[in-house]
Amino acid sequence: MMTAIQKLGRSSIQLCGNVGYAGLFLIKTLVRKPRPIKGAPLLIQELYSIGVFSLPIILVASIFIGMVVGLQGYNILSKFSATEQLGQLVALSVVRELGPVVAALLFAGRAGSALTAEIGLMKTTEQLASMEMMGVDPLWRVIAPRFWAGVISLPLLTMIFCAVAVIGGHVIGVEWLGIDTGAFWSNMQASVDFHLDVLNGIIKSVVFGFIVTWIAVYQGYATEPTAAGISRATTRTVVYSSLAVLGMDFVLTAIMMGGW
Amino acid sequence: MIQQREGLGDLIRIDHLTFQRNQQCIFDDISLTIPKGQITAIMGPSGTGKTTLLQLIGGRLKPNAGHLYYENQCIDGMSNKQLLRLREKMGMLFQNSALFTNLTVYDNVAFPMREHTQLPESFIKDLVLMKLEAVGLRGARNLMPSQLSGGMSRRVALARAMALDPELIMYDEPFTGQDPISMGVLVKLIKHLNDALGMTSIIVSHDVPETASIADYIYILAQGKIVGQGTPQQLADCQDPHVLQFMHGLPDGVVPFHYPAPDYRQDLLASCKEREAS
Amino acid sequence: MSQKWVETSVGLFILAAILGMLLLAFKVSDLSLYGEHDTYTVFAKFDNIGDLKPRAPVTIAGVKIGQVVSINLDKALYKATVTMRIKARDNNIPTDSSANIVTAGLLGSNYIAITPGFETAFMQDKGVISETNSAILLEDMIGQLIFNSKKGDKDDEKV
């Protein structure tokens, strides 16, 4: 019994320590003079390998999610003969919840794990150490561009996700199930508010982008420099960032629903 | 013995250095100097912390006691910014080359120049081609590191390490895992670069004949201490048991063949008794 | 992978995101670009607003001309004060118009329908619509229906 409590205590202390290290790491990465001339090409390169490479999975997932929500919603709404409300149902569920959350989960799986593996491999093969020995700070040269690219990419991906999912719902509802186009869009427009729904969804995705990328780059940087270490760190990135996204989603929704 | 050596003075001075990692003493109060313009070798069996010594000189690790000096500047007392500036004067060749895998050979060599200078791209191109020519790989400039053999990537790493014409260049196990031809090429390159460019070199290695053929002075480390030092000739004639065993590769000696363990017969008997008991 | 392709695809990526944002803003949430000064405010007091919510549309003849901004309780009169913002373009609402809270469909949400009057003077900013009809609550209607039919039954018994 004592040992169980002791174990709990030890792991909580370790957790606090790790969070502290991760926070310190983030501060060291972010608090520095920006160097736009040298930094901008690096950022664009990372936007390419983080954002553009995540685009296919986001597009495919979003069109399917929009269509599934359309189908399921139609079935339920038809029981109340309120199928014209389908547009509202699809748009609200996608813009408020599904868009930011699913895009963040996919982003963690696609870009987050790749980031961790890439940085972990650079550490394992001493590329980070050699950079340091050349007098170049890897936090600035390697971590910071990847971090910012992640924070910028996820909201952009989320906007694309939401728009495509709404189109997916339109395809199912209007083209396939025969709801009137006007009713579909006007019901949607009457119930979706730009500030309360669309902007809040994007705020969520900014927060998720911050968390997922932070976890990914920290796990990569703190990797134990072996092959097994990289695989463990990659797994940890996906697990931790998925849980963090879902937990944070609840917190943010609670704050936003509370009249914010 | 140190006072007898002639030269332009010392570039690196290590003063009563003690370093511990995980409660294990890696260096125990060692002092040594690296004279300017010479090739100094630091040798010893694997696991004696030779690489750690290079990390300490580069300021990536801090000593537990004692100090390191680079031309009378204390390395361990420097701020992060000062360290980054100091490292521009150092080049280091890592054990596994540590080339940036997502950049071509050309970009790898150009990397330190682009980071530290404001030179125009055409100027950088000339410099990179000169460095690559020196290691004989000008024709391989558009290859990716994954397409290079071990010896070639080490030569590219060498070209990158001297990209900014450093005063000091550190070689971490340059000969390990090389075939005889590339080993010969590297030996020749290190010697040639040191003499032609007037650099100071530190070689960390356990390949005795190759290192002895080019080093001006050798320190032998074992169990956290300097157990022998001198010119290659002096060490070859040295009768100290540590030096003798290391220089001639004897399987058993001061460094035992066996990892510390209880008595062999006792161990076997103990397992016999266990079997009987069960 | 040439630098040109990298830059172009990042540009396309950002462009796609902007397009998505525009679709969300104008097609999905019907964001109007009318700022504060492109609208004017009108008040109306209702005995009961039923299920009316802020952001509900305000219509004339079924055409949306504005939306409900806020709903407050008038402490003196025990009435609900509804603040509406009307597009400046639709500035010809007669002063004797009436505001009604109606329901879209049987189960839909409530909105305000304005029925124009006959005055030649038009509503100004911060004007008040005095004639209002409260929300018709479905529950009340059903209750009344049941009450009436029961009364009818009793009357029948007496006869």
Side-chain angles (χ1 to χ4, degrees):
Chain A
M1 188 59 200
M2 268 322 280
T3 52
I5 294 173
Q6 192 192 351
K7 261 185 196 166
L8 178 72
R10 189 193 300 151
S11 53
S12 346
I13 291 169
Q14 269 172 2
L15 180 75
C16 290
N18 281 338
V19 170
Y21 278 126
L24 220 64
F25 163 79
L26 185 70
I27 291 169
K28 271 195 215 158
T29 307
L30 302 188
V31 181
R32 56 189 58 227
K33 215 166 63 200
R35 290 193 254 175
I37 296 166
K38 279 185 178 170
L42 295 176
L43 183 65
I44 287 181
Q45 180 64 46
E46 294 310 324
L47 275 176
Y48 177 73
S49 57
I50 293 173
V52 177
F53 278 10
S54 305
L55 209 48
I57 188 176
I58 290 286
L59 285 176
V60 173
S62 58
I63 191 112
F64 279 122
I65 282 186
M67 296 202 298
V68 164
V69 172
L71 265 180
Q72 292 280 9
Y74 183 85
N75 270 330
I76 294 168
L77 290 174
S78 61
K79 288 182 185 163
F80 305 102
S81 15
T83 48
E84 298 79 33
Q85 306 283 342
L86 186 65
Q88 169 182 352
L89 187 128
V90 171
L92 281 184
S93 54
V94 163
V95 168
R96 279 188 187 167
E97 286 298 331
L98 285 175
V101 171
V102 176
L105 293 180
L106 292 174
F107 184 75
R110 171 65 185 80
S113 60
L115 269 180
T116 304
E118 188 192 10
I119 296 171
L121 197 68
M122 288 182 89
K123 183 177 179 181
T124 310
T125 54
E126 293 183 310
Q127 293 181 44
L128 296 182
S130 76
M131 209 174 267
E132 254 179 62
M133 287 303 296
M134 279 181 230
V136 178
D137 188 350
L139 287 184
W140 177 79
R141 183 61 175 68
V142 175
I143 306 294
R146 284 169 174 74
F147 180 79
W148 286 120
V151 174
I152 295 170
S153 289
L154 186 53
L156 299 182
L157 290 168
T158 304
M159 289 178 204
I160 296 172
F161 186 104
C162 292
V164 174
V166 168
I167 292 169
H170 180 264
V171 167
I172 286 293
V174 176
E175 313 289 335
W176 194 16
L177 298 171
I179 299 171
D180 179 56
T181 311
F184 183 87
W185 289 115
S186 69
N187 268 317
M188 191 188 291
Q189 288 165 1
S191 57
V192 179
D193 182 74
F194 183 71
H195 294 276
L196 287 175
D197 300 322
V198 179
L199 276 191
N200 275 357
I202 289 168
I203 289 171
K204 274 185 183 178
S205 72
V206 173
V207 175
F208 294 162
F210 195 89
I211 292 173
V212 171
T213 325
W214 178 17
I215 291 175
V217 292
Y218 176 69
Q219 289 295 346
Y221 196 73
T223 303
E224 184 196 329
T226 59
I230 295 177
S231 81
R232 268 199 300 275
T234 312
T235 313
R236 268 204 301 270
T237 294
V238 176
V239 172
Y240 289 176
S241 49
S242 304
L243 290 180
V245 162
L246 294 171
M248 203 61 205
D249 182 48
F250 170 72
V251 174
L252 286 176
T253 308
I255 293 173
M256 288 166 179
M257 289 276 179
W260 183 56
Chain B
M1 201 183 280
I2 296 172
Q3 283 80 10
Q4 296 167 3
R5 295 162 58 198
E6 94 290 15
L8 306 156
D10 296 331
L11 188 69
I12 304 269
R13 190 156 55 82
I14 296 175
D15 202 10
H16 298 287
L17 171 79
T18 300
F19 182 75
Q20 294 171 337
R21 185 154 48 193
N22 305 332
Q23 275 98 43
Q24 197 190 340
C25 196
I26 293 179
F27 298 120
D28 183 15
D29 192 26
I30 63 167
S31 299
L32 58 86
T33 56
I34 312 284
K36 271 184 193 162
Q38 295 194 5
I39 300 178
T40 307
I42 294 166
M43 309 192 72
S46 22
T48 43
K50 304 185 297 288
T51 306
T52 312
L53 188 64
L54 295 186
Q55 308 258 35
L56 282 160
I57 293 174
R60 295 192 69 233
L61 299 171
K62 300 269 180 216
N64 293 67
H67 296 288
L68 299 106
Y69 297 95
Y70 185 97
E71 285 188 325
N72 296 325
Q73 297 166 274
C74 183
I75 297 172
D76 44 289
M78 284 187 179
S79 71
N80 235 352
K81 218 176 233 174
Q82 287 172 309
L83 274 177
L84 288 179
R85 219 168 306 137
L86 173 72
R87 289 181 194 142
E88 290 177 32
K89 294 188 236 167
M90 298 180 179
M92 181 155 171
L93 185 69
F94 279 79
Q95 197 167 348
N96 51 15
S97 304
L99 294 177
F100 301 127
T101 40
N102 55 349
L103 299 179
T104 62
V105 166
Y106 177 92
D107 288 330
N108 259 291
V109 180
F111 182 88
M113 303 178 191
R114 289 185 180 143
E115 289 298 325
H116 288 303
T117 66
Q118 313 286 326
L119 295 175
E121 198 57 31
S122 61
F123 211 85
I124 286 181
K125 185 176 179 186
D126 294 347
L127 283 174
V128 171
L129 292 184
M130 276 162 62
K131 304 291 175 193
L132 282 174
E133 176 69 22
V135 296
L137 288 176
R138 192 165 43 85
R141 62 174 178 268
N142 291 324
L143 298 181
M144 296 304 281
S146 54
Q147 295 169 293
L148 301 176
S149 71
M152 281 160 82
S153 59
R154 208 154 292 188
R155 275 146 74 190
V156 174
L158 180 55
R160 186 179 68 177
M162 48 175 222
L164 293 174
D165 294 323
E167 297 169 359
L168 169 71
I169 189 156
M170 296 184 270
Y171 302 93
D172 188 2
E173 304 282 7
F175 310 121
T176 315
Q178 299 296 317
D179 61 70
I181 302 169
S182 37
M183 196 146 16
V185 170
L186 281 167
V187 169
K188 191 184 132 244
L189 267 178
I190 292 172
K191 179 75 183 156
H192 176 75
L193 289 174
N194 192 77
D195 295 350
L197 302 175
M199 292 189 296
T200 307
S201 307
I202 304 175
I203 301 178
V204 153
S205 179
H206 46 52
D207 294 288
V208 177
E210 289 76 18
T211 314
S213 69
I214 49 171
D216 294 310
Y217 202 81
I218 298 177
Y219 290 96
I220 296 180
L221 291 178
Q223 285 143 9
K225 296 268 190 199
I226 295 174
V227 294
Q229 55 178 301
T231 60
Q233 195 50 49
Q234 285 169 333
L235 285 176
D237 302 337
C238 181
Q239 290 307 311
D240 180 84
H242 275 103
V243 179
L244 203 64
Q245 190 193 359
F246 184 76
M247 291 299 279
H248 300 285
L250 306 176
D252 212 348
V254 193
V255 179
F257 171 68
H258 290 290
Y259 192 81
D263 186 62
Y264 186 43
R265 255 169 286 170
Q266 293 286 321
D267 240 11
L268 287 179
L269 280 174
S271 60
C272 275
K273 276 175 194 160
E274 269 173 34
R275 235 172 296 150
E276 278 168 21
S278 69
Chain C
M1 209 81 64
S2 72
Q3 190 64 24
K4 199 173 156 191
W5 165 242
V6 169
E7 284 169 4
T8 314
S9 57
V10 170
L12 285 176
F13 170 49
I14 291 172
L15 220 62
I18 291 171
L19 273 179
M21 188 69 201
L22 289 178
L23 186 115
L24 290 178
F26 295 110
K27 191 78 182 168
V28 174
S29 69
D30 199 24
L31 176 74
S32 56
L33 285 180
Y34 300 105
E36 292 273 326
H37 49 279
D38 290 325
T39 60
Y40 64 101
T41 311
V42 170
F43 301 101
K45 290 189 198 309
F46 291 91
D47 292 329
N48 191 341
I49 55 157
D51 204 22
L52 190 73
K53 296 256 160 53
R55 298 197 287 121
V58 178
T59 63
I60 292 182
V63 180
K64 187 178 170 185
I65 57 161
Q67 64 175 7
V68 173
V69 181
S70 65
I71 299 168
N72 298 302
L73 182 66
D74 185 330
K75 279 185 182 167
L77 298 170
Y78 299 106
K79 283 187 170 186
T81 308
V82 175
T83 314
M84 292 169 270
R85 193 174 288 152
I86 313 283
K87 288 177 195 166
R89 199 179 45 182
D90 303 311
N91 57 355
N92 56 344
I93 303 170
T95 47
D96 63 340
S97 301
S98 64
N100 311 295
I101 297 178
V102 290
T103 309
L106 194 59
L107 295 169
S109 53
N110 288 11
Y111 66 95
I112 293 185
I114 294 177
T115 313
F118 302 98
E119 281 285 340
T120 47
F122 297 134
M123 262 317 156
Q124 298 299 314
D125 189 29
K126 307 224 165 32
V128 178
I129 298 177
S130 45
E131 239 183 277
T132 60
N133 290 311
S134 293
I136 302 159
L137 297 181
L138 196 64
E139 299 90 321
D140 289 0
M141 244 162 64
I142 294 168
Q144 258 169 17
L145 212 67
I146 294 168
F147 182 69
N148 282 342
S149 64
K150 273 187 182 165
K151 211 162 70 178
D153 289 348
K154 278 176 192 166
D155 290 347
D156 290 345
E157 278 166 20
K158 275 177 191 170
V159 172

